[in-house]
Each structure stands twice: as structure tokens, then as C-alpha cells.
Amino acid sequence: IYFKIVRFILPLSLMLSVILFLSAEKVAVNVFHEPLLEGWLKISAVLIIPTAFLLIHASGLRGLNKTGWFSFFRETSRYLFAIPVLVCLIYFSGENIGPWLAYGSAVLFACLLSSVLWRKHFKKTSVIYEENVPDSFSFLNLAVPFFLISILTLLSPALNTIILGIKGTAADV
């Protein structure tokens, strides 16, 4: 099932990442009326794929009954890993890219760590019976609604910011 999920999520994440990366200037200028946001949007576009894999591996750990690891990677890891990086950047550098650099490095580190833990626990417990693997059609009937719910949950804060950016000023955002 893991490979079916990756084959489904990876192209969508890649497409979303490319679209956001290539349209960053237009979104920054036309939606937010802030040309300086272009760089931040490009950084966000690059982080879409690692975030998707982080969430896939976290959900895989939940499927292996590693709920502690699932909760850690789903909720806490990115912020916990970003705090030391951010403190170092604030202490050693006065640049305002610090929060994005800290969050980006935390996402990449959490993605790598979740991948290592997923593979470690999957190898210990992996027994695949071919009759238990659903066919592609039933898999998509189950996966698409969950995928859409997850995407809408993740996009909700971003959509709120975009709507506020369209209707409000930079100080409001």
C-alpha cells in the first residue's frame, strides 16, 4: 500500500510544488501585493514534497501501531527541531530569513528521521499477504476522501492568510 500511496501523492505534490514555485511572483504581487513574499513562497514550494513524505511516513508508523512516533512527527517534530536552529540563527545572524530557514531545515530533518524510523519498523513487522492488498480502484475510493480531507486541513490556515491578503493590508496579514 505504501508504494501505491507514494505513486499517488508524489505526482500531486510535485505538481503543486512546481505550480507554486513558478507562480510565486504573481501570487506575491497580485494576491498579497507584497513582492518580497516571492522568496518565501518559493521556499514553501520546495518544502511541499518533504512535508508530504513526512506525513506519509508518520501515517505509516501509525499503521504499525507506533502511535507515539506518529504523534511526534505529525504534531511536534517540525517545531521542536526548528527551535534550536532558530535560536542559533537569531544569536549568530540578524537576517530575517531565520524562521523560514529554521522551519525548512526542521522539515527536512523530520522527513529524514521519519523515513529512517519507518523503514526500521517496517522491516521488523513486514509480512505482506497478497490477498490483503486492496486493488487500485478500492484503494482510490478509500484514499481520495482522506487525501482531500488532509489537504483541506493543511491548507485551511494558508487559505485564511490568502483571503486576508486579498481583502486586507500587509499589516493585517
Side-chain angles (χ1 to χ4, degrees):
I1 292 178
Y2 173 79
F3 294 108
K4 285 185 178 185
I5 291 171
V6 169
R7 282 190 300 227
F8 182 71
I9 298 294
L10 183 61
L12 289 174
S13 299
L14 185 62
M15 181 180 67
L16 182 63
S17 183
V18 168
I19 289 170
L20 181 60
F21 191 86
L22 295 176
S23 65
E25 180 182 0
K26 291 179 182 178
V27 171
V29 172
N30 296 333
V31 175
F32 292 109
H33 311 293
E34 287 290 331
L36 296 176
L37 285 179
E38 179 184 354
W40 310 121
L41 290 173
K42 286 184 177 182
I43 292 170
S44 297
V46 170
L47 293 176
I48 289 174
I49 293 174
T51 301
F53 274 99
L54 172 64
L55 297 176
I56 289 170
H57 293 138
S59 297
L61 288 167
R62 180 180 62 178
L64 296 174
N65 293 324
K66 305 295 181 189
T67 55
W69 284 117
F70 164 74
S71 297
F72 174 72
F73 285 117
R74 179 81 179 184
E75 305 297 332
T76 311
S77 65
R78 293 166 286 181
Y79 308 110
L80 184 66
F81 296 147
I83 290 171
V85 175
L86 184 59
V87 168
C88 289
L89 287 172
I90 289 172
Y91 185 73
F92 293 113
S93 172
E95 302 205 15
N96 63 356
I97 197 166
W100 281 100
L101 186 59
Y103 186 76
S105 61
V107 166
L108 292 174
F109 183 71
C111 179
L112 290 174
L113 185 60
S114 69
S115 176
V116 168
L117 286 171
W118 159 250
R119 290 171 193 211
K120 175 185 164 190
H121 291 295
F122 181 72
K123 285 181 182 178
K124 287 182 182 177
T125 60
S126 73
V127 176
I128 299 176
Y129 297 102
E130 200 58 43
E131 64 269 7
N132 291 337
V133 177
D135 61 5
S136 294
F137 185 72
S138 63
F139 170 75
L140 287 178
N141 281 339
L142 180 66
V144 169
F146 285 119
F147 175 72
L148 292 175
I149 290 169
S150 297
I151 289 296
L152 290 175
T153 302
L154 289 172
L155 287 178
S156 178
L159 291 175
N160 291 337
T161 305
I162 289 171
I163 291 169
L164 186 59
I166 293 171
K167 299 292 183 184
T169 64
D172 293 336
V173 176

